Amino acid sequence: MKCTRCRAPAEVQLRAHNAAFCRPCFVFFFQRQVERAIESERMFGRGERLLVAVSGGKDSLALWDVLAELGYDATGLYVGLGIGSYSALSHQKAAAFAERRGLPLRTVDLENEGGLAVPAVAQVTRRVPCSACGTMKRHWFDAAAIDGRFDVLVTGHNLDDEAARLMGNVLRWQKDHLARQRPVLVPTHPRFVRKVKPLFLTSEYETAVYAFMRGIDYIVDECPNAAGATQLVYKDALNRIEAASPGTKLAFVKEFLRAAQPAFAAADRDPPRDCERCGMPAYGSLCAYCRLVDEMQRRATPRASAPA
Ligand code: Q46
Ligand code: ZN
């Protein structure tokens, strides 16, 4: 097998792209693919300040690496979820990466933010951990982007994440989710910044290969709560379809964005208003985070027993 670009012996084959690459050409191809996504979707420009949400995993660190290599002003944001040794190790990986590359990293530790670590919140509110986690992450990503006066919030969601999310949204016809499943979300509230996903057309396999070739030391273990997530069932189904018909994931996401997404976006709900308590965007009187905190406090405070 020869490299599609330079004819040297190839190290990696990408069936979805009908191509194979040697190491230097794959690194070039990967970075170029991300750059093209940024440019064609007009995600951000050179003068803008980017806040990159990093988990210590391969996708977000590979993305941060590419953005730094392409010369963007990219600061990392690590949100410590308080999920035992998984969180400790993932923080270590993100911090070590930042230090080695001389990149700025901001850290928010949920345990120091009113003791709201994911396992405790999930247990007290009886939510599934990923639901509590999602609400908290979104809140702290938005808050950190606004507080730090960043222009853009960048996340490492890849093609596999987007295809699995799309499959879940389609299977249940979640119209309001489909209305907001885009690689670029323009802010609909003064306390939102633009949100972008430069890896939305880059497969998980490609980011894993890139991270390996660039010597990025990332956390290999999944979050212990990922095992029960429905997202993994969709990913598995999509991987089987992809094996039988390479390029399906790419077509699924691309064609949705081209042919169907605009219709869902046009019928989207009203923009959020201000949360009455914290001023963050809210679709009711309180934002999702304040509602979660309320629920946590209500359940954690034992009711006074009725007088005898
Ligand atoms: S970190 Fe959070 Fe994920 Fe863990 S608790 Fe679920 S959502 S699985 S990306
Ligand atoms: Zn609020």
Side-chain angles (χ1 to χ4, degrees):
M1 199 171 48
K2 290 208 162 88
C3 172
T4 312
R5 261 186 96 226
C6 75
R7 314 305 299 160
E11 262 187 67
V12 50
Q13 185 184 14
L14 303 179
R15 289 175 69 204
H17 293 275
N18 203 11
F21 296 107
C22 67
R23 194 171 287 216
C25 287
F26 176 77
V27 168
F28 174 85
F29 162 82
F30 186 92
Q31 293 180 348
R32 187 72 199 102
Q33 190 172 236
V34 176
E35 197 176 19
R36 223 179 271 147
I38 294 166
E39 286 169 1
S40 67
E41 296 293 328
R42 299 180 185 191
M43 292 187 175
F44 42 78
R46 297 274 158 197
E48 293 191 291
R49 294 183 65 230
L50 318 179
L51 185 63
V52 188
V54 291
S55 64
K58 62 184 181 318
D59 301 299
S60 52
L61 292 185
L63 175 59
W64 199 10
D65 180 85
V66 174
L67 294 174
E69 285 294 305
L70 294 176
Y72 287 104
D73 176 357
T75 297
L77 168 66
Y78 176 83
V79 174
L81 305 168
I83 306 177
S85 57
Y86 166 76
S87 283
L89 188 59
S90 61
H91 184 215
Q92 238 177 55
K93 300 284 182 190
F97 178 87
E99 202 184 316
R100 222 174 303 128
R101 306 279 159 106
L103 295 168
L105 176 69
R106 296 181 172 215
T107 300
V108 176
D109 198 342
L110 295 189
E111 262 166 345
N112 296 332
E113 302 292 339
L116 289 173
V118 167
V121 175
Q123 196 191 12
V124 174
T125 62
R126 294 184 209 136
R127 295 194 190 197
V128 285
C130 294
S131 148
C133 181
T135 300
M136 292 197 285
K137 276 197 287 201
R138 273 191 293 278
H139 171 81
W140 289 108
F141 288 173
D142 289 333
I146 285 289
D147 292 349
R149 296 175 181 278
F150 288 92
D151 299 299
V152 192
L153 176 68
V154 188
T155 57
H157 295 100
N158 59 37
L159 174 66
D160 295 61
D161 299 324
E162 290 305 296
R165 185 169 159 214
L166 179 56
M167 186 179 237
N169 287 342
V170 165
L171 288 176
R172 290 190 171 73
W173 290 115
Q174 286 173 307
K175 287 189 268 180
D176 51 341
H177 292 187
L178 290 164
R180 270 165 284 124
Q181 184 167 357
R182 291 205 56 80
V184 179
L185 279 183
V186 291
T188 50
H189 185 278
R191 291 184 72 79
F192 269 155
V193 301
R194 195 180 327 135
K195 291 177 189 164
V196 303
K197 301 172 188 172
L199 299 183
F200 79 112
L201 297 179
T202 302
S203 73
E204 197 169 310
Y205 174 69
E206 288 165 64
T207 54
V209 173
Y210 180 82
F212 170 76
M213 287 183 175
R214 294 278 299 159
I216 297 172
D217 182 20
Y218 60 88
I219 180 161
V220 177
D221 293 341
E222 291 258 20
C223 165
N225 297 318
T230 354
Q231 188 89 344
L232 285 192
V233 179
Y234 299 147
K235 280 193 175 175
D236 183 46
L238 284 160
N239 283 340
R240 288 194 223 175
I241 300 171
E242 182 75 20
S245 174
T248 302
K249 279 184 216 170
L250 202 54
F252 185 41
V253 170
K254 265 185 157 175
E255 280 307 294
F256 161 69
L257 291 171
R258 192 190 62 79
Q261 208 280 335
F264 289 103
D268 198 14
R269 63 187 176 186
D270 294 335
R273 12 185 208 154
D274 298 354
C275 169
E276 282 172 9
R277 188 171 308 150
C278 72
M280 292 299 280
Y283 290 97
S285 52
L286 293 182
C287 72
Y289 180 75
C290 286
R291 284 204 308 268
L292 182 68
V293 172
D294 265 8
E295 195 183 329
M296 176 86 183
Q297 282 164 353
R298 237 184 5 253
R299 288 190 190 262
T301 318
R303 289 209 190 124
S305 49

